[in-house]
Amino acid sequence: MQVREQVFIGGEWVAPDGTGTIDVVSTHSEEVIGRVPDASPADMDRAVAAARDAFDHGPWPRMTPAERAEGITRLSQAIQARAGEIADTISLENGSPKQWSLMGQVFSATMVLDTYAALAPGYGWEDDRTGALGSPVKVRRAPVGVAAGIIPWNVPLFIAALKLGPAMAAGCPIVLKPAPETPLDGYLLADAVAEADLPPGVINVVAAGRETGEHLVRHPGIDKVSFTGSTAVGRHIGAICGEQLKRCTLELGGKSAAIVLDDWVIDEASLGNLIMSGLMNNGQVCGAQSRILVSAKRHDEVVDALAAAVRAMKTGDPLEDDTHVGPLVAQRQQERVKGFLDAGVSAGASAVVGGGLPEHLETGWYIEPTVFVNVTNDMKIAREEIFGPVLSVIKYGTEEEAVAIANDSDYGLCGSVWTSDAQHGATIAAQVRTGVVAVNSSMILDFNAPFGGFKASGIGRELGPEGIGPYTEYQTIILPAG
Ligand code: NAP
Ligand code: MG
């Protein structure tokens, strides 16, 4: 049992204002495994005040980018020192299988921090130009101010790093609000922050529920909100930020398509990657390629291969080394995904593998890894984000039709193309209206390149040098001639 009784504000562990608590429940055993304070709006006020003070009076925004890069590196190292503990904690909190957790949940986060430590010193913070009338003009990228990071439960540490890396590089203090399902790894992150010897208030971690989260978003001391989560909540937070003219980045849901071209060669590695692109983290990934588009010509052969490989996957305790598919984050999520399985069958789809709850597991919020066939793109299972281990195979005729089906979605986050001709794959990829498209790869993002959504998948980008821009304001300084 991990019990925490304080909140991390202004570089210190302090008592919370109220007495409310959040129980964290194991996704596998359904037993309570941790308890943390449920922070109140008054706690958020203190956290924002600490971040404000760090921005208005502290050393952090006044350091050189190279000095801040050293701080980012110290944080990365402090997280690495706890990697195993954090990975196992996240597996218990959200069901992430151990064989994915260490890399997907923890080292991916430290690699993002390392990326920003490397980018910060050489980023284009200033550009000296000649103005229209011949006088010198300096174009600066000034830090945007105090940031709020609202974190979902599915890849909590990684998504925290997507916000911490660029915010730290730019000199912006931040208040992070982990989701109530996954506060424990947020506490381990705060332990790492405490060890990394950063100036007080640069990173504050305050786990809380919805009302306190919205209090943070609306807080007048916050200059920029970076939200990752569902499209429904993203619209709401975007509306608040619009009203208040706060800078805002929204990383939201997806319904991505894997386009299998006729020349794709099915071998074990490539098939494994295709399945990974849909089922990584039990399908609880915004960029999951949950629609697999296959031509009528290759359909049966691809379905047979997918079904055999998915049938061979082990569903079970996320802490066992050989588990491929763990439980979902919560009972409500299991029920929601069960609802999608029922909706698929009612609409005429059929499961060639899976389709229900595994019988061999007595506790835990499991759903069998499932492959649906006879799916059309107008069905609920093809339109809405399921966020569970469910793949839908959709038949197409021509490549043009495949692209049209991929693009026939409210979302536009990720996608992939599977082919033996990578160059042709890249041509198809460029026709897909999403933020990231991979060719023959299960990668849904690259640390050195922008990540984010078209359409209802969000506004703005994280990662790469482009990820720093949203934590800055352009400032033009017009200098006298001569
Ligand atoms: P969610 O319900 O949207 O919640 C995300 C976070 O926002 C949680 O911390 C949540 O806290 C908080 N929140 C909810 N309402 C709020 C409000 N009015 N004001 C301030 N904060 C608020 O999403 P989730 O269920 O945790 O995560 C799954 C979703 O995230 C999926 O749709 C997935 O696609 C998306 N996602 C997107 C990306 C991406 O980069 N595009 C990455 C990961 C996940 P409470 O739970 O207390 O409400
Ligand atoms: Mg939630």
Side-chain angles (χ1 to χ4, degrees), residues 39-58:
S40 68
D43 295 318
M44 277 308 173
D45 290 344
R46 280 192 294 163
V48 175
R52 212 50 271 166
D53 193 48
F55 185 71
D56 294 334
H57 309 292

Side-chain angles (χ1 to χ4, degrees), residues 156-450:
L157 186 72
F158 173 69
I159 290 169
L162 292 183
K163 309 195 183 314
L164 288 171
M168 291 175 80
C172 299
I174 188 164
V175 179
L176 287 180
K177 193 215 68 84
E181 294 84 356
T182 51
L184 298 175
D185 61 279
Y187 273 83
L188 295 169
L189 167 63
D191 288 340
V193 173
E195 194 178 287
D197 193 26
L198 301 168
V202 170
I203 300 174
N204 308 274
V205 185
V206 186
R210 183 154 304 184
E211 207 179 306
T212 302
E214 187 161 324
H215 182 78
L216 173 64
V217 169
R218 289 186 182 276
H219 202 292
I222 294 295
D223 299 297
K224 191 223 158 50
V225 175
S226 181
F227 169 80
T228 300
S230 62
T231 292
V233 174
R235 284 185 208 280
H236 179 67
I237 287 179
I240 294 170
C241 291
E243 204 176 300
Q244 299 186 335
L245 291 181
K246 262 177 196 158
R247 280 65 185 140
C248 180
T249 300
L250 303 171
E251 294 284 1
L252 312 177
K255 191 70 195 177
S256 298
I259 301 176
V260 177
L261 299 183
D262 278 347
D263 64 356
W264 180 54
V265 178
I266 305 178
D267 59 45
E268 203 182 324
S270 190
L271 181 66
N273 282 332
L274 174 62
I275 292 170
M276 174 61 91
S277 75
L279 296 188
M280 70 173 83
N281 204 30
N282 315 328
Q284 300 180 130
V285 169
C286 52
Q289 331 266 302
S290 53
R291 296 183 292 155
I292 300 183
L293 315 188
V294 187
S295 78
K297 197 166 132 196
R298 298 287 305 277
H299 179 270
D300 292 357
E301 179 200 353
V302 172
V303 166
D304 286 350
L306 276 173
V310 170
R311 197 171 292 120
M313 293 174 92
K314 183 189 156 189
T315 303
D317 187 341
L319 288 184
E320 283 171 12
D321 286 326
D322 57 347
T323 291
H324 300 105
V325 179
L328 300 186
V329 71
Q331 187 168 24
R332 62 154 209 284
Q333 202 66 13
Q334 185 194 37
E335 281 163 9
R336 194 171 164 271
V337 175
K338 182 71 177 54
F340 276 106
L341 297 179
D342 296 342
V345 172
S346 306
S350 42
V352 290
V353 49
L357 274 48
E359 279 167 14
H360 68 286
L361 295 158
E362 280 168 14
T363 61
W365 301 307
Y366 291 92
I367 290 283
E368 286 179 314
T370 298
V371 179
F372 271 125
V373 295
N374 301 327
V375 180
T376 53
N377 203 48
D378 55 352
M379 290 181 189
K380 182 180 163 86
I381 55 170
R383 305 215 69 82
E384 294 181 24
E385 185 173 53
I386 298 177
F387 235 56
V390 182
L391 304 177
S392 291
V393 178
I394 300 173
K395 246 188 228 176
Y396 69 81
T398 63
E399 285 183 359
E400 291 69 31
E401 274 173 45
V403 170
I405 295 169
N407 288 337
D408 176 16
S409 173
D410 294 337
Y411 294 106
L413 193 55
C414 294
S416 57
V417 183
W418 302 82
T419 173
S420 55
D421 179 350
Q423 209 148 13
H424 180 58
T427 307
I428 297 289
Q431 297 168 46
V432 176
R433 301 284 297 160
T434 65
V436 180
V437 189
V439 177
N440 296 338
S441 167
S442 62
M443 300 293 286
I444 59 169
L445 49 81
D446 188 293
F447 303 142
N448 292 328

